[in-house]
Amino acid sequence: MEEFNDEINLGESVVKVLKSIYDPEIPVDIYELGLIYDVMINEENEVKVLMTLTSPNCPVAETLPREVEEKVTKIDVIKSCEVEITFDPPWSKDLMSEEAKLELGML
């Protein structure tokens, strides 16, 4: 895997991984969908992802955070990944990227 010389490359790699994870009900990745609120990486290369779900009753509420943790942890230099789910603020279509809205025919 590529070598990381700074936090920017590592952050970009984490985002790239997040863009490879899709909500099974919507054909858009979770990053473009606006489900990722924040990605924090400390000096020990431990990652914390603050994310939400499209609804509190989301059918992937158990599996999606686990998938994020597993895939981010596969980046060679990442020691650990913790996902925190929040519903504050609640997800809305306004959080979606222009690309996601275009993909779903909302533009």
Side-chain angles (χ1 to χ4, degrees):
M1 192 157 217
E2 57 196 281
E3 195 168 312
F4 300 100
N5 297 326
D6 56 30
E7 283 181 29
I8 295 166
N9 283 344
L10 190 51
E12 287 174 357
S13 293
V14 171
V15 168
K16 189 175 175 184
V17 167
L18 295 173
K19 287 185 172 188
S20 74
I21 301 170
Y22 285 77
D23 183 306
E25 297 181 329
I26 306 168
V28 174
D29 70 76
I30 62 172
Y31 191 84
E32 298 296 336
L33 204 51
L35 298 182
I36 304 300
Y37 287 168
D38 201 0
V39 175
M40 296 151 277
I41 305 170
N42 68 16
E43 298 81 29
E44 284 82 45
N45 289 345
E46 297 166 330
V47 177
K48 181 169 184 181
V49 177
L50 182 63
M51 67 178 288
T52 193
L53 302 169
T54 51
S55 80
N57 302 322
C58 183
V60 293
E62 293 295 316
T63 58
L64 199 56
R66 196 172 320 119
E67 182 179 358
V68 169
E69 288 175 353
E70 288 171 1
K71 288 190 173 177
V72 170
T73 306
K74 284 184 181 173
I75 297 172
D76 286 349
V77 297
I78 298 294
K79 287 190 180 150
S80 66
C81 178
E82 175 192 346
V83 173
E84 181 182 332
I85 299 291
T86 184
F87 292 101
D88 182 25
W91 180 83
S92 74
K93 291 181 176 130
D94 296 335
L95 296 171
M96 293 169 58
S97 69
E98 296 291 311
E99 183 181 311
K101 290 176 183 173
L102 190 63
E103 178 78 25
L104 297 174
M106 297 175 148
L107 285 179

